[in-house]
Amino acid sequence: QVTLRESGPALVKPTETLRLTCTFSGFSLTNSGMCVSWVRQPPGKALEWLARIDWDDDKYYSTPLKTRLTISKDTSKNQVVLTMTNMDPVDTATYYCAREDTASVVFEHWGPGTLVTVSS
Amino acid sequence: HSALTQPPSASGSPGQSVTISCTGTSSDVGGYNYVSWYQQHPGKAPKILIYEVNKRPSGVPDRFSGSKSGNMASLTVSGLQAEDEADYYCSSYAGSNIVVFGGGTRLTVL
């Protein structure tokens, strides 16, 4: 059974760096074809893909956000970490991690999400 | 990569069919058969309904179907049920390992 769960601060101040952790089970990021993505959703708004990391440590980022994002993995802990620098109130959103099937480009399994509010 | 265009709302009565469109460009929807559809109930994470334009994961009712013509993809929900009331999002591969989502459609069951 595949499960994912996001964790991190619920509140960050403008200009601070956000660090989110996705802890997963039911699969290994050492296996060929496995990858984990981050997707966010501002309150009442649409989904937005942010970043992806693959089993072979390849990394991909949303073009408008690539200068602010870093994705990494710790396979020994079954975790994927996303950092986003220079946080702004417009970054207030629920952040989801999801396992992606790159062969079909589909987000098969999602975590429940974590709401991050950016406010001073 | 711009977001895909979906109507903000759609509605239908129980038992009826409703179709939600998702319009992109030749660089995303029209260029690849990697369109997915997700259902999201309030306060919940999205759930996959359709992938690769028209494939259903196991467990998804066959009332949900997908199609594509040119730069537009569609999701049809047949035999509407009260529990189908939710937000629906399309997504598409857009090349260079980028995925774009649509703006979402709120489906109301009258």
Side-chain angles (χ1 to χ4, degrees), chain A residues 3-7 21-25 77-80 97:
Chain A
T3 65
L4 304 98
R5 181 164 294 274
E6 307 84 355
S7 58
T21 301
C22 174
T23 303
F24 57 86
S25 64
K77 295 181 180 178
N78 279 353
Q79 291 181 335
V80 171
C97 62

Side-chain angles (χ1 to χ4, degrees), chain B residues 20-74:
Chain B
I20 298 170
S21 62
C22 170
T23 304
T25 70
S26 58
S27 297
D28 39 60
V29 174
Y32 308 93
N33 287 324
Y34 292 123
V35 175
S36 300
W37 289 91
Y38 300 87
Q39 178 190 60
Q40 186 180 35
H41 286 105
K44 301 295 186 182
K47 169 194 168 187
I48 179 65
L49 288 177
I50 298 286
Y51 68 101
E52 290 185 19
V53 176
N54 56 16
K55 296 180 181 179
R56 272 188 315 276
S58 60
V60 174
D62 59 6
R63 303 186 295 105
F64 295 93
S65 62
S67 63
K68 190 187 88 166
S69 177
N71 295 337
M72 189 175 78
S74 299

Side-chain angles (χ1 to χ4, degrees), chain A residues 40 42-43 45 48 68 86-93 95 116 118:
Chain A
R40 72 177 179 179
K45 296 189 177 181
E48 178 185 18
R68 299 174 53 206
N86 195 25
M87 292 293 284
D88 183 271
V90 300
D91 297 314
T92 293
Y95 287 75
V116 178
V118 184

Side-chain angles (χ1 to χ4, degrees), chain B residues 71-110:
Chain B
N71 295 337
M72 189 175 78
S74 299
L75 172 73
T76 297
V77 186
S78 305
L80 269 176
Q81 299 181 4
E83 59 262 36
D84 298 334
E85 186 160 294
D87 293 328
Y88 292 82
Y89 292 92
C90 62
S91 72
S92 175
Y93 183 62
S96 303
N97 290 286
I98 300 290
V99 173
V100 291
F101 283 97
T105 298
R106 175 149 297 175
L107 175 60
T108 301
V109 180
L110 302 170

